[in-house]
Amino acid sequence: MNQIQVIDSHTGGEPTRTVIAGGPDLGTGSIAKRREIFRDRYDEFRSCVINEPRGSDVLVGALLTEPTDDDCVAGVIFFNNVGVLHMCGHGTIGVAETLAHLGRIEVGKHLLETSVGPVAFEYHGENRVTIENVPCYRSQKSVQLEVPDVGTVTGDIAWGGNWFFLVADHGEVLSLENIDRLTDVSWKIRHALEACQITGDEGGEIDHIELFGPPQTTEGNSRSFVLCPGGAYDRSPCGTGTSAKVACLAADGKLLPGEIWRQESIIGSIFEASYTQSGEDRVIPKITGTAYVTAEATLKADPQDPFKAGIR
Ligand code: PYC
């Protein structure tokens, strides 16, 4: 019987399942190298942890691993229902809360090693975490896209630790009641990007779509709907998505360094964001959110179980 120890948490409603024991041996290379090994050789493990019947499409996984850099409190590989991720903002906040829950960190500043570099975070206590993301930037402004059954939309392409297409002129109502329609429109946008071979830099696949609209809370500056790569929508405002948004606002001169931007998710949870400038065209976003531990569990995968590797 394979046994995998996990701690579940949610960050602004978006779940993270952190694997703390029972994961595969990925060697001692860089986290980027270990992510490749995990992607290429351990897809059954990924699917076992995330997919039904032990998980669901909405979960993001975080496999804890030894850091290569002694300054980092842990290494982490993020994954979801369809593959591996580079960075995950809500996941980093969830991992930070999990490390605090395990007694592995105190209130203060720490580093987490990811496949795209060390990510600094501050654990404030009382479930509150601020992450300092990798350098983010807008790659292309106002890209016009003809989307079958939807019409023409205009979007910015930005790197927030993942590639995003950010659209404001979608004409949709950003409400929970409209989730099916928002998912459908966002999928069509993603397929249209693929069909037109529109990518991020160096051919990076744009696998996150963000629709923006006016806020619906008194604190928010804007509400967003984010479609994740595997088809689930992000319940949180999306850490990398908020970073991509901040990069676009900064590029347009609409948000100054240090100014606060409150991004509201489709369920009304909020991330507070600001940035510092990094070189001429990059920003380092800081994202603050709250996370709560929801479960401590041991997943079991009986070798006889026909769905030991999840439903794929
Ligand atoms: O918070 O960066 C994020 C994220 C990516 C996918 C789901 N959440």
Side-chain angles (χ1 to χ4, degrees):
M1 178 83 73
N2 287 328
Q3 308 218 24
I4 305 161
Q5 251 180 285
V6 299
I7 296 191
D8 287 354
S9 60
H10 81 84
T11 308
E14 179 76 350
T16 305
R17 173 163 283 176
T18 304
V19 177
I20 59 167
D25 180 358
L26 302 173
T28 54
S30 68
I31 303 297
K33 183 70 199 159
R34 287 183 226 175
R35 174 182 174 274
E36 269 176 37
I37 295 171
F38 182 68
R39 182 194 62 200
D40 298 344
R41 298 194 211 150
Y42 295 101
D43 201 56
E44 287 199 356
F45 179 89
R46 176 196 62 74
S47 175
C48 170
V49 170
I50 293 293
N51 288 337
E52 295 177 23
R54 293 167 193 79
S56 86
D57 281 359
V58 186
L59 275 177
V60 167
L63 174 62
L64 289 190
T65 176
E66 279 299 310
T68 63
D69 177 348
D70 288 344
D71 291 339
C72 295
V73 64
V76 66
I77 296 164
F78 291 111
F79 53 102
N80 67 6
N81 56 334
V82 290
V84 288
L85 289 164
H86 283 292
M87 227 319 257
C88 182
H90 93 268
T92 303
I93 294 171
V95 167
E97 182 58 36
T98 296
L99 292 171
H101 175 78
L102 289 169
R104 285 179 56 179
I105 58 166
E106 304 274 329
V107 166
K109 293 188 175 173
H110 307 278
L111 286 173
L112 192 64
E113 200 171 351
T114 75
S115 62
V116 283
V119 171
F121 70 88
E122 182 166 1
Y123 178 61
H124 302 285
E126 295 184 352
N127 307 93
R128 209 167 152 76
V129 179
T130 298
I131 64 164
E132 202 172 290
N133 202 352
V134 295
C136 299
Y137 66 103
R138 178 166 68 192
S139 160
Q140 289 186 59
K141 181 178 164 68
S142 302
V143 176
Q144 289 230 325
L145 183 70
E146 193 52 42
V147 184
D149 302 334
V150 171
T152 308
V153 296
T154 314
D156 287 359
I157 297 172
W159 172 255
N162 293 297
W163 282 108
F164 285 83
F165 192 65
L166 301 92
V167 180
D169 66 347
H170 45 76
E172 300 296 331
V173 178
L174 296 187
S175 71
L176 261 185
E177 297 72 45
N178 207 20
I179 281 293
D180 289 347
R181 166 90 191 148
L182 295 170
T183 302
D184 184 49
V185 167
S186 302
W187 262 123
K188 286 178 172 150
I189 293 176
R190 183 164 167 202
H191 287 311
L193 288 166
E194 253 170 51
C196 297
Q197 295 180 338
I198 296 173
T199 67
D201 293 351
E202 290 154 24
E205 185 185 0
I206 302 172
D207 55 6
H208 290 73
I209 308 298
E210 282 195 281
L211 309 181
F212 288 92
Q216 291 173 30
T217 66
T218 47
E219 309 103 278
N221 292 101
S222 149
R223 174 165 284 224
S224 62
F225 169 86
V226 181
L227 186 71
C228 297
Y233 69 91
D234 198 330
R235 276 66 173 163
S236 83
C238 190
T240 49
T242 302
S243 299
K245 175 69 177 175
V246 161
C248 294
L249 289 166
D252 285 332
K254 291 183 177 162
L255 190 72
L256 298 175
E259 263 185 332
I260 300 290
W261 179 266
R262 290 190 183 85
Q263 189 62 52
E264 201 177 281
S265 76
I266 196 72
I267 66 164
S269 53
I270 290 182
F271 282 169
E272 205 172 276
S274 64
Y275 72 92
T276 50
Q277 195 69 39
S278 170
E280 213 168 281
D281 63 347
R282 313 256 151 161
V283 299
I284 309 272
K286 275 190 172 183
I287 310 285
T288 302
T290 51
Y292 293 84
V293 167
T294 54
E296 292 179 322
T298 303
L299 307 180
K300 297 184 191 240
D302 187 326
Q304 304 304 319
D305 180 350
F307 296 110
K308 60 181 182 296
I311 302 171
R312 323 199 248 176

